[in-house]
Amino acid sequence: MVLDEAATSRADVPAAKTKKQRQTEVAKHRICDAVVDCLDEFGYAETSIKRVQARAGVSRGALTHHFPSKEEMMVETVERLLQPARPKSGVLKASSAEKDLLKLWARVVDTKEGRALVEILVAARTDKGLHARISPGLSRYNDGFNAEVVRLYESVDLDDGDVATLWTICRVFLRGLHMQERFDAKPGHTAKIMKRFAEIIGPHMRPREVE
Amino acid sequence: MVLDEAATSRADVPAAKTKKQRQTEVAKHRICDAVVDCLDEFGYAETSIKRVQARAGVSRGALTHHFPSKEEMMVETVERLLQPARPKSGVLKASSAEKDLLKLWARVVDTKEGRALVEILVAARTDKGLHARISPGLSRYNDGFNAEVVRLYESVDLDDGDVATLWTICRVFLRGLHMQERFDAKPGHTAKIMKRFAEIIGPHMRPREVE
DNA sequence: ATATAAACAGAACGTTCGGTCTGTTTCAAG
DNA sequence: CTTGAAACAGACCGAACGTTCTGTTTATAT
């Protein structure tokens, strides 16, 4: 949904001229989409190459050709997931921190792509190789996110550094909520907790005056 | 550290009279300790039976004898982990919610046992069989925890239900912080975030007057 | 038009996993 | 003392995994 067809054409790369290049791009796109599906549906441990292959509808050879290893496949998937999830993409509107936080949960975190990303993150905690590969991109994303929120908000209690801290707290909470969601069958429960949290942390930030 | 040698003797079960029973208890204890070690050190995915066996210093046959399946092994480990982690054990003192929260993090969550428990929890999200087995114990623990905090605290803003909600938020946050800790190399960072969070949510609860 | 390399297909490989199975030793009840 | 079951030891098994390898097709550069 975030990575729809339109996204392919508006790629930052010179847009794939030759047919072979287009083939490759399409194949990789299909495969990474399948990875996201599998991660969301089965979790990292159960996302085997065979399963991805079947879901993507490509042969074993094709998959191996584009991604020589599973790690490679995951790395590229993470990069694709990180790209549209940027706060720049317009999720944060700075009407109020409380509203933005709820929006961030609903539109970014609590989505198929958000859940898939967390699956990889969780796996990377204990997989050193994977961790090393995705760390740079993750840091870049976090830095960009922090810069964005500092630009949009100011702390009620302290300095600008506190805004970054507060949003880090929010990110940590959202990740924790993610874990809990897979346990709690009750659907309303998560929303209730999310709402109360936003209510509590929201007042500690205020939107900056537009210049 | 929570499950030290002393803990073995003060068991709630009639304390294992016959030698065979004692042997079994010792073996199981050694194995579950090894499971905890491996989970903390390598994560769930890398915690194979072979690894546990090696760490515990028992033969494959012995391990299989006491735990016919890996799932069985994990279930018993969870039960042992949940036992001493009870809030009843005296972690919460109700001097202030802020202090109790920091204590909860340092003495329960951010320990070898706490990390091991989260590993199993995370794995159980996508492992239906394991999930079904540990759910009851987990619910019991959560209920006990909620009852305890409601007994100790009252909400500043709302009713008693809110106290449970607030502490659920805390638990969610702690779980999220756990994830983040394995990424952030900087040691002080986690403590800083933890402190700020406690500072924010603490004032929403107040200790009940002692009766 | 032809050569070359990429895209693709699928068989084959070695490893590791969890589980089972066959023995041997040790304890305790009768 | 004998007997049976539990504690223990380790070999064995089939399945699944990720990777590697050998072909075949297809597109593009010369």
Side-chain angles (χ1 to χ4, degrees), chain B residues 20 23-24 27 59 61-62 65-66:
Chain B
K20 287 256 183 195
Q23 267 180 308
T24 294
S59 74
H65 175 70
H66 294 294

Side-chain angles (χ1 to χ4, degrees), chain A residues 18-20 23 48-49 60 64 69-70:
Chain A
T18 150
K19 186 173 180 183
K20 286 258 184 195
Q23 267 180 306
S48 65
I49 289 183
R60 194 67 193 269
T64 302
S69 76
K70 187 180 181 180

Side-chain angles (χ1 to χ4, degrees), chain A residues 183-184, chain B residues 71 74-76 78-79 82-83 86 117 120-121 124 127-145:
Chain A
F183 275 100
D184 267 6
Chain B
E71 192 174 295
M74 290 298 171
V75 169
E76 175 125 2
V78 167
E79 279 169 14
L82 248 35
Q83 200 155 310
R86 280 257 157 65
L117 184 58
I120 300 182
L121 256 49
D127 183 333
K128 292 204 73 174
L130 185 59
H131 183 281
R133 294 293 308 274
I134 68 174
S135 267
L138 230 49
S139 295
R140 258 190 299 111
Y141 174 77
N142 281 336
D143 290 347
F145 187 93

Side-chain angles (χ1 to χ4, degrees), chain A residues 39-46 119 122 125 178-185, chain B residues 39 43-45 70-71 74-75 77-79 82 115-139 175 179:
Chain A
L39 286 173
D40 178 36
E41 197 164 338
F42 308 113
Y44 188 90
E46 306 284 336
E119 283 299 321
V122 167
R125 282 175 320 145
H178 225 295
M179 305 278 103
Q180 151 128 350
E181 210 189 19
R182 296 231 186 194
F183 275 100
D184 267 6
Chain B
L39 286 172
Y44 188 89
K70 188 181 180 180
E71 192 174 295
M74 290 298 171
V75 169
T77 302
V78 167
E79 279 169 14
L82 248 35
R115 284 186 290 269
L117 184 58
V118 170
E119 283 299 321
I120 300 182
L121 256 49
V122 167
R125 279 177 321 145
T126 50
D127 183 333
K128 292 204 73 174
L130 185 59
H131 183 281
R133 294 293 308 274
I134 68 174
S135 267
L138 230 49
S139 295
R175 223 170 294 154
M179 304 278 102

